Amino acid sequence: MDYQYYISAWIYKVLKHADADFANFLHNKGYGKNENDSKLYKLFCFSRLNFGKPKLWKEKKLFEISAHEIKLQISFDVNKAASNFIKGLFMAQEFYLGDKFNGIDFKVSNVAALPEPEFTESMRYHLQTPWVVSYQKENDKHPQYLSPKDKLFDSLTVKHLAEKYNNTRQPKLISPEQINAKRLNDFKRAGFVMKPGTKEQSRIVGNLFEFELNAPLEVHKMIWNAGCSEKSSSGFGWVEKID
């Protein structure tokens, strides 16, 4: 059930096969103002797998999938030339998705570029994967994963979006005061296990809800192409537009 880690690892593998330097940069550093910047971002995100209604083996944390064609959306916050290059990388890829006990062999049968929506300064979104907002005190060993009930949630949400934008784009800067995110419904806590079955195994928890975002157009484009959440390269913060 926690397949997101394996998808993220596969994406890095595809990139590394084509351009080891680019993949290493994404994995180890990400985008940022300079090499010494502590806030570096990996500007891609991906959706959940679309495999219909699988059989759920809850005790074993497994999906049993009968569909023969499965869809996945991947988005990179790059220019059009790089986008066409990346599109070509994924054509006809063959790979195994899973751990050493359970998984599926896949072959990419088709890659299609999807159009962007028409962006406006006020837009409504549905979170398909959880929005992670974390806070770590100086002496804490692990971060706290906040819910919208926590008093720091709203301020850290817009602070992260502004930092993500400002650390990856030059020269125009955006302040948190230019961004307003308003939740439209109740939230549901959800998360994924990362690096399952290893010593580094951990669970990252976020929140699912619908929201209205008022922000400059560039911020909307960024979250559409790179997710709105922390850890977007692990599949968190994938948004879909609400008409």
Side-chain angles (χ1 to χ4, degrees), residues 197-219:
T198 70
K199 291 180 180 178
E200 295 83 32
Q201 177 175 311
S202 63
R203 181 170 175 81
I204 297 172
V205 181
N207 309 276
L208 294 169
F209 52 86
E210 294 179 351
F211 65 97
E212 181 177 300
L213 182 67
N214 290 282
L217 295 181
E218 296 89 344
V219 174

Side-chain angles (χ1 to χ4, degrees), residues 11-29:
I11 293 171
Y12 280 121
K13 189 175 179 180
V14 171
L15 296 173
K16 191 169 186 176
H17 183 72
D19 188 333
D21 291 338
F22 178 56
N24 285 333
F25 168 76
L26 266 183
H27 188 273
N28 297 324
K29 296 181 179 179

